[in-house]
Amino acid sequence: PRLALLGARIRAAGAGIGRAVSSALEGTARQPEAAGNLRTTLIIGAALIESLTIYALVIGILLLGKL
């Protein structure tokens, strides 16, 4: 069960990054002059999502007792 929850968290993070990229591309298409600001915000958001994913992975490994 714990491993399934870990997989769900990682899939959710992937979906979150995908949605963020989609929204950034849509915003750039609507307002090309705001592309720089959108890119910066997207990179910061993606980094936060990735760090949470790595944190969930470490916690999952610790819960399985393999570290």
Coordinates of all heavy atoms in Angstrom, one line a residue:
P1 N 0.8 -1.2 0.0 CA 0.0 0.0 0.0 C 0.8 1.3 0.0 O 0.5 2.2 -0.6 CB -0.8 -0.1 1.3 CG -0.8 -1.5 1.7 CD 0.4 -2.1 1.1
R2 N 2.0 1.2 0.7 CA 2.8 2.5 0.8 C 3.4 2.7 -0.5 O 3.6 3.9 -0.9 CB 3.9 2.3 1.9 CG 3.3 2.3 3.3 CD 4.4 2.1 4.3 NE 3.9 2.0 5.6 CZ 4.6 1.7 6.6 NH1 5.8 1.3 6.5 NH2 4.0 1.6 7.8
L3 N 3.8 1.7 -1.2 CA 4.5 1.9 -2.5 C 3.5 2.4 -3.5 O 3.8 3.2 -4.4 CB 5.0 0.5 -3.0 CG 6.0 0.6 -4.2 CD1 7.2 1.5 -3.9 CD2 6.5 -0.8 -4.5
A4 N 2.2 2.0 -3.4 CA 1.2 2.5 -4.3 C 1.0 4.0 -4.1 O 0.8 4.8 -5.0 CB -0.1 1.8 -4.1
L5 N 1.0 4.4 -2.8 CA 0.8 5.8 -2.5 C 2.0 6.7 -3.0 O 1.8 7.8 -3.5 CB 0.7 6.0 -1.0 CG -0.6 5.6 -0.3 CD1 -0.5 5.7 1.2 CD2 -1.7 6.3 -0.9
L6 N 3.2 6.1 -3.0 CA 4.4 6.8 -3.5 C 4.2 7.0 -5.0 O 4.5 8.1 -5.5 CB 5.6 6.0 -3.2 CG 6.9 6.5 -3.8 CD1 7.2 7.9 -3.2 CD2 8.1 5.6 -3.5
G7 N 3.8 5.9 -5.7 CA 3.5 6.0 -7.1 C 2.5 7.1 -7.5 O 2.6 7.8 -8.4
A8 N 1.4 7.1 -6.6 CA 0.4 8.1 -6.9 C 0.9 9.5 -6.7 O 0.5 10.4 -7.5 CB -0.8 7.9 -5.9
R9 N 1.8 9.7 -5.7 CA 2.3 11.1 -5.5 C 3.2 11.5 -6.7 O 3.2 12.6 -7.1 CB 3.1 11.1 -4.2 CG 2.3 11.0 -3.0 CD 3.1 11.1 -1.7 NE 2.2 10.9 -0.6 CZ 2.5 10.1 0.4 NH1 3.5 9.4 0.4 NH2 1.6 10.0 1.4
I10 N 4.0 10.6 -7.2 CA 4.9 10.9 -8.3 C 4.0 11.2 -9.6 O 4.3 12.1 -10.3 CB 5.9 9.7 -8.5 CG1 6.8 9.7 -7.3 CG2 6.6 9.9 -9.8 CD1 7.8 8.5 -7.3
R11 N 3.0 10.4 -9.8 CA 2.1 10.7 -10.9 C 1.4 12.0 -10.8 O 1.3 12.8 -11.8 CB 1.1 9.6 -11.1 CG 1.6 8.3 -11.7 CD 0.4 7.4 -12.1 NE -0.3 7.0 -11.0 CZ -0.1 5.9 -10.2 NH1 1.0 5.2 -10.5 NH2 -0.8 5.6 -9.2
A12 N 1.0 12.4 -9.6 CA 0.4 13.7 -9.4 C 1.3 14.8 -9.6 O 0.9 15.8 -10.2 CB -0.2 13.7 -7.9
A13 N 2.6 14.6 -9.3 CA 3.6 15.7 -9.5 C 3.8 15.8 -11.0 O 3.9 17.0 -11.5 CB 4.9 15.3 -8.9
G14 N 3.8 14.7 -11.7 CA 4.0 14.8 -13.2 C 2.8 15.5 -13.8 O 2.9 16.3 -14.8
A15 N 1.6 15.2 -13.3 CA 0.4 15.9 -13.9 C 0.4 17.4 -13.5 O 0.0 18.2 -14.3 CB -0.9 15.2 -13.3
G16 N 0.9 17.7 -12.4 CA 1.0 19.1 -12.0 C 2.0 19.9 -12.9 O 1.7 21.0 -13.3
I17 N 3.1 19.3 -13.1 CA 4.1 20.0 -14.0 C 3.5 20.1 -15.4 O 3.6 21.1 -16.1 CB 5.4 19.2 -14.0 CG1 6.1 19.3 -12.7 CG2 6.3 19.7 -15.2 CD1 7.4 18.5 -12.6
G18 N 2.8 19.0 -15.9 CA 2.2 19.1 -17.2 C 1.1 20.2 -17.3 O 1.1 20.9 -18.3
R19 N 0.3 20.3 -16.3 CA -0.7 21.4 -16.3 C 0.0 22.8 -16.2 O -0.5 23.7 -16.9 CB -1.6 21.2 -15.1 CG -2.7 22.2 -15.1 CD -3.8 21.8 -14.2 NE -4.9 22.8 -14.3 CZ -5.8 23.0 -13.4 NH1 -5.8 22.3 -12.3 NH2 -6.7 23.9 -13.6
A20 N 1.1 22.9 -15.4 CA 1.8 24.2 -15.4 C 2.3 24.6 -16.7 O 2.2 25.8 -17.1 CB 2.8 24.1 -14.3
V21 N 3.0 23.6 -17.4 CA 3.5 23.9 -18.7 C 2.4 24.3 -19.7 O 2.6 25.2 -20.5 CB 4.4 22.7 -19.2 CG1 4.8 22.9 -20.7 CG2 5.6 22.5 -18.4
S22 N 1.3 23.6 -19.6 CA 0.2 23.9 -20.5 C -0.3 25.3 -20.3 O -0.5 26.0 -21.3 CB -0.9 22.9 -20.3 OG -2.1 23.2 -21.0
S23 N -0.5 25.7 -19.1 CA -1.0 27.0 -18.8 C 0.0 28.1 -19.2 O -0.3 29.1 -19.7 CB -1.2 27.1 -17.3 OG -2.3 26.3 -16.9
A24 N 1.3 27.8 -19.0 CA 2.4 28.8 -19.4 C 2.4 29.0 -20.9 O 2.5 30.1 -21.4 CB 3.7 28.3 -18.9
L25 N 2.2 27.9 -21.6 CA 2.2 28.0 -23.1 C 0.9 28.7 -23.6 O 1.0 29.5 -24.5 CB 2.2 26.6 -23.7 CG 3.6 25.9 -23.7 CD1 3.5 24.5 -24.2 CD2 4.6 26.7 -24.5
E26 N -0.2 28.5 -22.9 CA -1.4 29.2 -23.3 C -1.3 30.6 -23.0 O -1.7 31.5 -23.8 CB -2.6 28.6 -22.4 CG -3.9 29.1 -22.8 CD -5.0 28.5 -22.0 OE1 -4.9 27.3 -21.7 OE2 -6.0 29.2 -21.8
G27 N -0.7 31.0 -21.8 CA -0.5 32.4 -21.5 C 0.5 33.1 -22.5 O 0.3 34.2 -22.8
T28 N 1.5 32.4 -22.9 CA 2.4 32.9 -23.9 C 1.8 33.1 -25.2 O 2.0 34.1 -25.9 CB 3.7 32.0 -24.1 OG1 4.3 31.8 -22.8 CG2 4.7 32.6 -25.0
A29 N 0.9 32.2 -25.6 CA 0.1 32.4 -26.9 C -0.8 33.6 -26.8 O -1.0 34.3 -27.8 CB -0.6 31.1 -27.2
R30 N -1.4 33.8 -25.6 CA -2.3 34.9 -25.5 C -1.6 36.3 -25.4 O -2.1 37.3 -25.9 CB -3.2 34.8 -24.3 CG -4.2 33.6 -24.4 CD -5.1 33.6 -23.2 NE -6.0 32.5 -23.4 CZ -7.0 32.2 -22.6 NH1 -7.1 33.0 -21.5 NH2 -7.8 31.2 -22.8
Q31 N -0.4 36.3 -24.7 CA 0.3 37.5 -24.5 C 1.8 37.3 -24.7 O 2.5 37.0 -23.7 CB 0.0 38.0 -23.1 CG -0.5 39.4 -23.0 CD -0.8 39.8 -21.6 OE1 -0.7 39.0 -20.7 NE2 -1.1 41.1 -21.4
P32 N 2.3 37.3 -25.9 CA 3.7 37.0 -26.2 C 4.7 37.8 -25.4 O 5.8 37.4 -25.1 CB 3.8 37.1 -27.7 CG 2.4 37.0 -28.2 CD 1.5 37.6 -27.1
E33 N 4.3 39.1 -25.1 CA 5.3 40.0 -24.4 C 5.5 39.6 -23.0 O 6.4 40.0 -22.3 CB 4.8 41.4 -24.5 CG 3.5 41.7 -23.8 CD 2.2 41.5 -24.7 OE1 2.4 41.0 -25.9 OE2 1.1 41.8 -24.2
A34 N 4.6 38.7 -22.4 CA 4.8 38.3 -21.0 C 5.5 37.0 -20.9 O 5.5 36.4 -19.8 CB 3.4 38.2 -20.4
A35 N 6.1 36.5 -22.0 CA 6.8 35.2 -22.0 C 7.9 35.1 -21.0 O 8.0 34.1 -20.3 CB 7.3 34.9 -23.4
G36 N 8.7 36.1 -20.8 CA 9.8 36.1 -19.9 C 9.3 35.9 -18.4 O 9.9 35.1 -17.7
N37 N 8.3 36.7 -18.0 CA 7.7 36.5 -16.7 C 7.1 35.2 -16.5 O 7.3 34.6 -15.4 CB 6.7 37.6 -16.4 CG 7.3 39.0 -16.3 OD1 8.5 39.1 -16.0 ND2 6.5 40.0 -16.6
L38 N 6.4 34.7 -17.5 CA 5.8 33.4 -17.4 C 6.8 32.3 -17.3 O 6.7 31.3 -16.5 CB 4.9 33.1 -18.6 CG 3.6 33.9 -18.6 CD1 2.9 33.7 -20.0 CD2 2.7 33.5 -17.5
R39 N 7.9 32.4 -18.0 CA 9.0 31.4 -18.0 C 9.6 31.3 -16.6 O 9.8 30.2 -16.1 CB 10.0 31.7 -19.1 CG 11.1 30.6 -19.2 CD 12.1 30.9 -20.3 NE 11.5 31.2 -21.6 CZ 11.6 32.4 -22.2 NH1 12.3 33.4 -21.6 NH2 11.0 32.6 -23.3
T40 N 9.9 32.5 -16.1 CA 10.5 32.5 -14.7 C 9.6 31.9 -13.7 O 10.0 31.1 -12.9 CB 10.8 34.0 -14.3 OG1 11.7 34.5 -15.3 CG2 11.5 34.0 -13.0
T41 N 8.3 32.2 -13.7 CA 7.4 31.7 -12.8 C 7.2 30.2 -13.0 O 7.2 29.4 -12.0 CB 6.0 32.4 -12.9 OG1 6.2 33.8 -12.8 CG2 5.0 31.9 -11.9
L42 N 7.2 29.7 -14.2 CA 7.1 28.3 -14.5 C 8.3 27.5 -14.0 O 8.1 26.5 -13.4 CB 7.0 28.1 -16.0 CG 7.0 26.6 -16.5 CD1 5.8 25.9 -16.0 CD2 7.1 26.6 -18.0
I43 N 9.5 28.1 -14.2 CA 10.7 27.4 -13.7 C 10.7 27.2 -12.2 O 11.0 26.2 -11.6 CB 12.0 28.1 -14.2 CG1 12.1 27.8 -15.8 CG2 13.2 27.6 -13.5 CD1 13.2 28.7 -16.4
I44 N 10.3 28.3 -11.5 CA 10.3 28.3 -10.0 C 9.2 27.3 -9.6 O 9.5 26.4 -8.7 CB 10.0 29.7 -9.5 CG1 11.2 30.6 -9.7 CG2 9.7 29.6 -8.0 CD1 11.0 32.0 -9.4
G45 N 8.0 27.3 -10.2 CA 7.0 26.3 -9.8 C 7.4 24.9 -10.1 O 7.1 24.0 -9.3
A46 N 8.0 24.7 -11.3 CA 8.4 23.3 -11.6 C 9.5 22.8 -10.6 O 9.5 21.6 -10.2 CB 8.9 23.2 -13.0
A47 N 10.4 23.7 -10.2 CA 11.4 23.3 -9.3 C 10.8 22.9 -7.9 O 11.2 22.0 -7.3 CB 12.4 24.4 -9.1
L48 N 9.8 23.7 -7.5 CA 9.1 23.3 -6.2 C 8.4 22.0 -6.3 O 8.4 21.2 -5.4 CB 8.1 24.5 -5.9 CG 8.8 25.8 -5.4 CD1 7.7 26.8 -5.2 CD2 9.6 25.6 -4.1
I49 N 7.7 21.8 -7.4 CA 7.0 20.5 -7.6 C 8.0 19.3 -7.6 O 7.8 18.3 -7.0 CB 6.2 20.5 -8.9 CG1 5.0 21.5 -8.7 CG2 5.6 19.1 -9.2 CD1 4.3 21.8 -10.0
E50 N 9.1 19.5 -8.3 CA 10.1 18.4 -8.4 C 10.7 18.2 -7.0 O 11.0 17.0 -6.6 CB 11.2 18.8 -9.4 CG 10.8 18.7 -10.8 CD 10.5 17.2 -11.2 OE1 11.2 16.3 -10.7 OE2 9.6 17.0 -12.0
S51 N 11.0 19.2 -6.2 CA 11.5 19.0 -4.9 C 10.6 18.3 -4.0 O 11.0 17.4 -3.2 CB 11.9 20.4 -4.3 OG 10.8 21.2 -4.0
L52 N 9.3 18.6 -4.1 CA 8.3 17.8 -3.3 C 8.2 16.4 -3.8 O 8.0 15.5 -2.9 CB 6.9 18.5 -3.5 CG 6.7 19.8 -2.7 CD1 5.4 20.4 -3.0 CD2 6.9 19.6 -1.2
T53 N 8.4 16.1 -5.1 CA 8.4 14.8 -5.6 C 9.6 14.0 -5.0 O 9.5 12.8 -4.6 CB 8.5 14.7 -7.1 OG1 7.4 15.5 -7.6 CG2 8.4 13.3 -7.6
I54 N 10.8 14.6 -5.0 CA 12.0 14.0 -4.4 C 11.8 13.7 -3.0 O 12.2 12.7 -2.4 CB 13.2 14.8 -4.7 CG1 13.5 14.8 -6.3 CG2 14.4 14.3 -4.0 CD1 14.5 15.8 -6.7
Y55 N 11.2 14.7 -2.3 CA 10.9 14.5 -0.8 C 10.0 13.3 -0.6 O 10.2 12.5 0.3 CB 10.3 15.8 -0.3 CG 10.0 15.8 1.2 CD1 11.0 15.8 2.1 CD2 8.7 15.8 1.6 CE1 10.7 15.7 3.5 CE2 8.4 15.7 3.0 CZ 9.4 15.7 3.9 OH 9.1 15.7 5.2
A56 N 8.9 13.2 -1.4 CA 8.0 12.1 -1.3 C 8.7 10.8 -1.5 O 8.5 9.8 -0.9 CB 6.8 12.2 -2.2
L57 N 9.6 10.8 -2.5 CA 10.4 9.5 -2.8 C 11.3 9.1 -1.6 O 11.3 8.0 -1.2 CB 11.2 9.8 -4.1 CG 12.1 8.6 -4.5 CD1 11.3 7.4 -4.9 CD2 13.0 9.0 -5.6
V58 N 12.0 10.1 -1.0 CA 12.8 9.8 0.1 C 12.0 9.3 1.3 O 12.4 8.3 2.0 CB 13.6 11.1 0.5 CG1 14.3 10.9 1.9 CG2 14.6 11.4 -0.5
I59 N 10.9 9.9 1.6 CA 10.0 9.5 2.7 C 9.5 8.1 2.4 O 9.4 7.2 3.3 CB 8.8 10.5 2.9 CG1 9.3 11.8 3.3 CG2 7.8 9.9 3.8 CD1 10.0 11.8 4.7
G60 N 9.1 7.8 1.1 CA 8.6 6.5 0.8 C 9.7 5.4 1.0 O 9.5 4.3 1.5
I61 N 10.9 5.7 0.6 CA 12.0 4.8 0.8 C 12.3 4.6 2.3 O 12.5 3.4 2.7 CB 13.3 5.3 0.1 CG1 13.1 5.2 -1.4 CG2 14.5 4.5 0.5 CD1 14.2 5.8 -2.2
L62 N 12.2 5.6 3.1 CA 12.4 5.5 4.5 C 11.3 4.7 5.1 O 11.6 3.8 6.0 CB 12.5 6.9 5.2 CG 13.7 7.7 4.9 CD1 13.6 9.1 5.5 CD2 14.9 7.0 5.5
L63 N 10.1 4.8 4.7 CA 9.0 4.0 5.2 C 9.1 2.6 4.8 O 8.6 1.7 5.6 CB 7.6 4.6 4.7 CG 7.2 5.9 5.3 CD1 5.9 6.4 4.6 CD2 7.0 5.8 6.8
L64 N 9.7 2.3 3.7 CA 9.9 0.9 3.3 C 11.0 0.3 4.1 O 11.2 -0.9 4.0 CB 10.1 0.8 1.8 CG 8.9 1.1 0.9 CD1 9.3 1.1 -0.5 CD2 7.8 0.0 1.2
G65 N 11.8 1.1 4.7 CA 13.0 0.6 5.5 C 14.1 0.2 4.7 O 14.9 -0.7 5.2
K66 N 14.3 0.8 3.6 CA 15.4 0.3 2.7 C 16.6 1.3 2.6 O 17.4 1.2 1.8 CB 14.9 0.1 1.3 CG 13.9 -1.1 1.3 CD 13.6 -1.6 -0.1 CE 12.7 -2.7 0.0 NZ 12.5 -3.4 -1.2
L67 N 16.6 2.3 3.5 CA 17.6 3.3 3.5 C 18.4 3.3 4.7 O 17.9 3.1 5.8 CB 17.1 4.7 3.2 CG 18.1 5.8 3.0 CD1 18.8 5.6 1.7 CD2 17.4 7.2 3.1

